Amino acid sequence: MAVKLTLLQYDADSATERELAGLDEVPALLEQPKVLWLHVQGEPDEELLAGLAGIFHLHPLATEDVVTGPQRPKAEEYEEQDFIVTHIAELGPDKRLSFHQFSFFAGKNYVLSFYGGDETVTAAVRTRIHTGRGTIRQHGVDYLLYALLDAIVDSYFPVLEDFGEYLEYVQERALLRDDPGTMREIQRSKHELLHLRRVIWPVRDLLTVLMRDDNNNISHPVRQYLRDCYDHIIQLMDMTETYREMAADLMDAYMSAISNRMNSIMKVLTIIATLFMPLTFIVGLYGMNFNTKASSWNMPELNWRYGYPFTWAVMIVVVVMMLVWFRRRGWIGRSDLPCVEDLEEGEAAGTQSPGTCTRIRRRR
């Protein structure tokens, strides 16, 4: 991906934006009494990074963190600027989460940012600056810093909402059918939520560093806005934990559904085997080769004219009686989970009998 340098300068009255071919004019622009935002889209090479480090007096450790990612989200204070590392999450068409590091330096009158992913987040902030919506052009660099952090934090909400819908879809699949791929999807969801948690939780500490009273780069009014951003990250943390618990419960529900299906299969097979036990005894008994001429007690039914249909009748009666007994015991003919029917308004609820549905009144 080719590196693109976008320069945006603004004050309360105007805002200008253009792409730069090099860094030659940047030192002179820093002397102007305007807020300067230089955004590097793509992965900068060593020459470009060295040039930026010389112009903005970047610390070598900070520039190293820009290119050797992914770094843990953090905020570090240097002599001339604050260095901040965050991540932006994207949910692909295959419902896989991807994370891109967003790094930026905030100095006295400038913001220098680095990002290699989609430009949606930065484009939203640039649009606010050009249209003058809100009070972003009435404040300095610290408010631009807040605007970028707020846009990054808010970008997690649609990602988490889409991921929550995906978990509901996986839950329906897990409860409706036994699919080995469902377990893989649940495990992958748990893994990606764990990664998302590792990305979101450090942002709370990052905001705490910026909101400290001894941070001279952040004014008191902007700290109030950062507290709102802090509330949003707490909400995101709660949502992430909720979805992690949902994924864990989903695994338990999937295993329970498999166990219930197996129990149902074993129940049917056991009933079939039980039905054949007396039948096997009867046909085994009459399959013995006794000589009826040696004794009148040696299976006299073998010489009886109606012995064969009588044996069939006995076996059928035994099977029917066993089925009736199984039903009365509740082993067959009843659902493990009672069905529920809606009760129309004004209709009286009757007494539930075995094998019938539970009826509840529909709320209007």
Side-chain angles (χ1 to χ4, degrees):
M1 177 180 179
V3 177
K4 182 174 67 173
L5 300 176
T6 303
L7 177 70
L8 194 153
Q9 272 189 304
Y10 67 90
D11 55 16
D13 300 323
S14 63
T16 59
E17 180 180 1
R18 66 182 187 275
E19 291 188 16
L20 298 181
L23 302 175
D24 297 337
E25 55 182 313
V26 174
L29 296 175
L30 285 173
E31 302 298 329
Q32 298 181 6
K34 291 184 177 181
V35 177
L36 183 146
W37 178 17
L38 179 60
H39 179 65
V40 181
Q41 185 69 31
E43 299 295 333
D45 53 23
E46 294 184 2
E47 181 180 357
L48 175 60
L49 199 60
L52 292 171
I55 295 173
F56 293 95
H57 307 289
L58 307 180
H59 196 279
L61 292 177
T63 56
E64 182 180 353
D65 289 342
V66 170
V67 294
T68 57
Q71 298 290 325
R72 185 177 184 271
K74 60 182 178 179
E76 296 180 349
E77 297 180 68
Y78 293 98
E79 293 182 1
E80 298 186 20
Q81 69 265 136
D82 288 330
F83 174 57
I84 299 169
V85 176
T86 59
H87 293 268
I88 296 178
E90 296 178 3
L91 187 64
D94 57 350
K95 301 304 178 181
R96 291 183 179 271
L97 288 173
S98 59
F99 301 90
H100 303 278
Q101 179 172 309
F102 192 102
S103 309
F104 52 97
F105 298 84
K108 182 179 180 180
N109 65 330
Y110 67 86
V111 168
L112 172 64
S113 57
F114 300 84
Y115 184 55
D118 185 77
E119 296 186 62
T120 303
V121 174
T122 57
V125 178
R126 289 200 299 267
T127 301
R128 288 177 56 189
I129 295 174
H130 283 295
T131 58
R133 188 171 72 249
T135 60
I136 188 170
R137 292 211 320 225
Q138 311 300 322
H139 295 82
V141 172
D142 53 354
Y143 192 91
L144 176 58
L145 171 65
Y146 153 74
L148 288 171
L149 286 173
D150 185 60
I152 293 172
V153 170
D154 289 347
S155 68
Y156 283 100
F157 283 101
V159 172
L160 274 173
E161 290 172 359
D162 291 343
F163 202 83
E165 295 177 359
Y166 170 67
L167 283 179
E168 293 177 358
Y169 163 74
V170 175
Q171 183 178 20
E172 293 178 358
R173 287 187 54 187
L175 297 179
L176 289 177
R177 60 180 183 272
D178 182 8
D179 184 4
T182 302
M183 180 174 289
R184 291 194 296 269
E185 291 180 2
I186 296 174
Q187 291 285 7
R188 181 173 62 84
S189 300
K190 293 176 63 178
H191 175 74
E192 292 188 346
L193 284 171
L194 179 60
H195 193 179
L196 186 61
R197 181 182 183 274
R198 292 174 178 172
V199 169
I200 291 178
W201 277 65
V203 179
R204 179 184 58 177
D205 300 330
L206 181 157
L207 292 171
T208 302
V209 172
L210 295 177
M211 291 187 299
R212 286 200 316 234
D213 293 334
D214 59 350
N215 192 326
N216 298 323
N217 295 324
I218 306 296
S219 62
H220 179 72
V222 174
R223 289 196 187 102
Q224 301 295 328
Y225 291 105
L226 288 175
R227 289 190 181 95
D228 179 71
C229 191
Y230 185 89
D231 293 338
H232 289 177
I233 205 66
I234 295 298
Q235 184 178 353
L236 286 172
M237 290 164 58
D238 292 340
M239 291 177 62
T240 305
E241 289 301 309
T242 299
Y243 288 144
R244 287 188 65 216
E245 293 176 2
M246 181 178 175
D249 294 341
L250 186 56
M251 178 62 73
D252 295 337
Y254 178 70
M255 298 305 296
S256 298
I258 293 178
S259 178
N260 290 336
R261 295 189 191 102
M262 184 61 66
N263 290 338
S264 300
I265 295 172
M266 295 303 298
K267 177 181 176 181
V268 173
L269 295 178
T270 301
I271 290 175
I272 294 174
T274 304
L275 291 175
F276 274 91
M277 286 177 62
L279 305 184
T280 304
F281 170 77
I282 294 173
V283 298
L285 180 65
Y286 284 98
M288 293 186 293
N289 297 321
F290 281 93
N291 186 3
T292 57
K293 295 180 179 180
S295 172
S296 58
W297 293 99
N298 288 349
M299 293 190 176
E301 297 86 0
L302 295 179
N303 294 323
W304 185 29
R305 180 176 182 180
Y306 299 104
Y308 179 70
F310 175 76
T311 304
W312 268 106
V314 170
M315 290 192 292
I316 293 174
V317 169
V318 169
V319 171
V320 172
M321 291 180 63
M322 292 180 68
L323 289 175
V324 171
W325 185 60
F326 289 164
R327 182 175 179 81
R328 289 185 176 180
R329 295 284 295 180
W331 296 347
I332 61 173
R334 296 183 188 178
S335 175
D336 294 335
L337 296 176
C339 58
V340 177
E341 291 182 352
D342 288 334
L343 192 63
E344 297 291 345
E345 186 174 358
E347 184 180 358
T351 304
Q352 181 183 0
S353 58
T356 61
C357 289
T358 301
R359 312 189 74 192
I360 60 175
R361 191 177 305 280
R362 182 188 297 122
R363 293 183 179 180
R364 296 298 182 181

